[in-house]
Amino acid sequence: MATLGALDSLTSKLREIHHLHDAAAVLSWDQETYMPAGSGAIRAEQLATLQTLAHNQFVSREVEALLCTFLDSETGILLSKHQDSLDDTSQALLRETWRDFSRAKKLPSAFVNKLERECSIAQQVWAESRQTNDFQRFLPNLERLVGLKRKEADYLGYTDSPYNALLDTFEPGVTVAQLRPLFAELRTHLIRLLKQIQHSPVQPNTSLLTQSFDTTKQIDFGRLVLKQMGYDFQRGRLDLSAHPFTTSFHPTDVRVTTRVFENDMPSCLFSCIHEGGHGLYEQGLSTQHYGTPLGEAISLGIHESQSRLWENSVGRSQAFWQYFYPKLREVFPSQLGGVQTDEFYLAINQAEPSLIRVEADELTYNLHIMVRFEIELEIIEGRVQIDELPEIWNAKIEEYLGITPSNDAEGVLQDVHWSFGAFGYFPTYTLGNLYAAMLFDQAKKDMTDLEQNISQGNFQPLKNWLNKHVHQWGRQYSASDLIQRVTGQPLTPEPFIRNLEEKFGNLYQFPTSFSSKTST
Ligand code: ZN
């Protein structure tokens, strides 16, 4: 049939375009891991060429014509004559490709070029400004970027707030109106829990984690944990980079990185587990749908749910360390020989206000996100003066965490995101935490022996469950549809709060009020 032929042509065209993105991703991975420091400038040009080629091919008449064989050229709605002949998978493929296509088409290429150039320059200026603790230096670049991002929102179109257009890039379908009450509810519980922890007589001895740990042995242990989780080293590898990340060129080539510090043992370990969670998602995507939206992750929030599930729900659980602690102690007998499992478990679950987001614990992390969400919303809606951001930032950190940055490097300048124009990105971290708790709760319901399996180092059932319920679908479902399908309820902070309450209530020995109605 002609229509099926057109669908095949579209798929192979998308795959071809994806090869360009994958080639660019290999270059980016190399840039972060092995590239000599002196080749930064030419690498930026090489990447720009590949990305421009991919963009031009994607917004081409050829792709448009193939899409419009099936879809209305104005609205992207499926033509009625195809409604019965195309299965759900094909319809999802067309729907998601149209989403990407129409968004890409809305941005004039001169604008995209200008934005990319500004981002590239702003990132360098930001790095220097952070190093010298000089916000004024970054200010003109940030002001220009904010102007461009507001323009981008105008091009993309939005209802209610321009921020929604930017948020939609990272977490399709989520809006400010949805986030505000969600975060407000979460905040109330987090602040209450934090107060209870701070008033607890139990306090962890974290100095045991900052002894001297051989870095090669740390990396080997991280590799061991990754293997046990089911991360496939035949289809992946582990390297070192300044900031840990995961990248994928195909489900058969998914690479993770970590970093390692002699006097900060949890950093390497939990980076491995976190990136391993991202890596399992990428390795679990469909090879059949590679190159199309159905072979891609749903959203940043769902991606982060996979890393957070492994890092926190699994990697910071008692069951996990029941299995792994004796092994860790064997690797580091002089450092951990006298440390009991419970003492170690408490130390890796310390919760206390701190200034740096990437070092924050499972609980306070979300308060850091709320601060950023509120500020960037005001920025994009034009309700703040950019030159007043340092003061605004410090006041909000004081309000949420009760501490004040002593300089802008540990305040408003600490994150890279705004410098590459990623406004609307931060909320996906907290959404990831909430999705993770919902999914892990459901996994426990579906597999009553899950915890027992984890305590025996058997992670296969959990990995299979995630493969089946999350990974294999790609973008067939939206994030909200997937969560509803898998857990039977819409996005809610309840499982996340309940789990924190139970865990920290036990660790820090305070009564758990929130869970009492459900735990009898
Ligand atoms: Zn992550």
Side-chain angles (χ1 to χ4, degrees), residues 258-320:
T258 187
R259 58 181 168 190
V260 63
F261 304 107
E262 187 190 328
N263 297 111
D264 181 6
M265 195 262 282
S267 178
C268 174
L269 176 67
F270 287 105
S271 293
C272 283
I273 304 175
H274 180 101
E275 300 307 327
H278 283 305
L280 287 179
Y281 190 4
E282 293 289 340
Q283 287 186 338
L285 288 168
S286 153
T287 48
Q288 184 203 339
H289 292 300
Y290 159 76
T292 79
L294 302 188
E296 284 173 2
I298 296 179
S299 68
L300 285 187
I302 295 293
H303 225 309
E304 194 67 4
S305 79
Q306 298 307 292
S307 57
R308 292 294 181 172
L309 186 149
W310 284 97
E311 180 192 349
N312 291 330
S313 307
V314 178
R316 288 184 212 271
S317 73
Q318 229 160 356
F320 182 89

Side-chain angles (χ1 to χ4, degrees), residues 280 284 462-473:
L280 287 179
L462 178 60
K463 178 188 165 277
N464 291 347
W465 188 91
L466 291 167
N467 283 153
K468 180 179 167 202
H469 293 284
V470 182
H471 305 167
Q472 65 155 330
W473 297 108

Side-chain angles (χ1 to χ4, degrees), residues 122-138 242-243 259 356-359 407-417 419:
Q123 233 176 309
Q124 290 168 39
V125 177
W126 164 79
E128 291 156 11
S129 307
R130 187 171 75 154
Q131 210 148 41
T132 53
N133 186 29
D134 182 3
F135 179 77
Q136 287 305 317
R137 179 137 180 246
F138 182 46
H243 302 282
R259 58 181 168 190
I356 306 296
R357 175 186 59 87
V358 294
E359 290 163 11
N407 58 56
D408 292 338
E410 55 181 35
V412 70
L413 283 174
Q414 69 177 269
D415 295 308
V416 67
H417 301 61
S419 78

Side-chain angles (χ1 to χ4, degrees), residues 173-186:
V174 171
T175 61
V176 173
Q178 200 181 350
L179 288 182
R180 274 215 170 105
L182 189 73
F183 283 4
E185 184 186 352
L186 186 57

Side-chain angles (χ1 to χ4, degrees), residues 183-194 367 370:
F183 283 4
E185 184 186 352
L186 186 57
R187 182 190 165 180
T188 309
H189 289 287
L190 293 178
I191 291 198
R192 175 178 56 79
L193 280 171
L194 190 57
L367 298 170
M370 291 173 199

Side-chain angles (χ1 to χ4, degrees), residues 52-333:
T52 307
L53 275 174
H55 175 81
N56 291 346
Q57 288 208 21
F58 186 53
V59 296
S60 65
R61 280 176 189 281
E62 185 188 354
V63 170
E64 185 163 25
L66 288 167
L67 279 170
C68 293
T69 311
F70 305 96
L71 308 174
D72 182 279
S73 60
E74 290 296 314
T75 62
I77 292 168
L78 187 67
L79 300 172
S80 55
K81 61 178 173 179
H82 296 297
Q83 252 148 22
D84 295 327
S85 57
L86 292 174
D87 59 16
D88 288 351
T89 310
S90 305
Q91 293 195 24
L93 173 92
L94 290 164
R95 180 195 71 220
E96 293 301 304
T97 308
W98 177 263
R99 176 189 144 83
D100 296 345
F101 177 80
S102 54
R103 282 178 67 93
K105 275 288 249 198
K106 283 176 187 166
L107 301 175
S109 51
F111 173 80
V112 174
N113 273 334
K114 191 171 176 193
L115 181 61
E116 268 172 22
R117 261 203 324 276
E118 274 298 339
C119 287
S120 157
I121 298 162
Q123 233 176 309
Q124 290 168 39
V125 177
W126 164 79
E128 291 156 11
S129 307
R130 187 171 75 154
Q131 210 148 41
T132 53
N133 186 29
D134 182 3
F135 179 77
Q136 287 305 317
R137 179 137 180 246
F138 182 46
L139 181 61
N141 297 82
L142 186 59
E143 280 175 331
R144 276 200 298 278
L145 262 185
V146 168
L148 287 168
K149 292 309 280 188
R150 294 177 64 181
K151 183 125 187 143
E152 182 183 329
D154 287 340
Y155 280 129
L156 291 170
Y158 57 83
T159 43
D160 300 333
S161 168
Y163 187 82
N164 282 337
L166 305 180
L167 185 58
D168 193 66
T169 311
F170 304 111
E171 200 65 21
V174 171
T175 61
V176 173
Q178 200 181 350
L179 288 182
R180 274 215 170 105
L182 189 73
F183 283 4
E185 184 186 352
L186 186 57
R187 182 190 165 180
T188 309
H189 289 287
L190 293 178
I191 291 198
R192 175 178 56 79
L193 280 171
L194 190 57
K195 283 210 177 99
Q196 284 177 296
I197 289 169
Q198 285 173 317
H199 289 124
S200 165
V202 179
Q203 289 305 327
N205 167 21
T206 51
S207 67
L208 64 94
L209 303 171
T210 54
Q211 304 174 75
S212 166
F213 294 91
D214 179 87
T215 52
T216 310
K217 286 182 181 167
Q218 285 192 53
I219 297 166
D220 287 346
F221 192 79
R223 202 183 304 272
L224 173 86
V225 174
L226 275 166
K227 256 190 204 146
Q228 198 95 14
M229 284 166 64
Y231 175 82
D232 183 355
F233 276 92
Q234 290 299 314
R235 299 185 292 144
R237 51 178 293 136
L238 172 68
D239 293 273
L240 291 176
S241 64
H243 302 282
F245 68 95
T246 300
T247 186
S248 169
F249 323 129
H250 186 269
T252 59
D253 192 349
V254 176
R255 306 184 185 192
V256 295
T257 71
T258 187
R259 58 181 168 190
V260 63
F261 304 107
E262 187 190 328
N263 297 111
D264 181 6
M265 195 262 282
S267 178
C268 174
L269 176 67
F270 287 105
S271 293
C272 283
I273 304 175
H274 180 101
E275 300 307 327
H278 283 305
L280 287 179
Y281 190 4
E282 293 289 340
Q283 287 186 338
L285 288 168
S286 153
T287 48
Q288 184 203 339
H289 292 300
Y290 159 76
T292 79
L294 302 188
E296 284 173 2
I298 296 179
S299 68
L300 285 187
I302 295 293
H303 225 309
E304 194 67 4
S305 79
Q306 298 307 292
S307 57
R308 292 294 181 172
L309 186 149
W310 284 97
E311 180 192 349
N312 291 330
S313 307
V314 178
R316 288 184 212 271
S317 73
Q318 229 160 356
F320 182 89
W321 288 105
Q322 207 176 315
Y323 176 76
F324 272 116
Y325 191 61
K327 294 184 164 42
L328 186 67
R329 205 144 66 161
E330 248 169 63
V331 180
F332 299 111

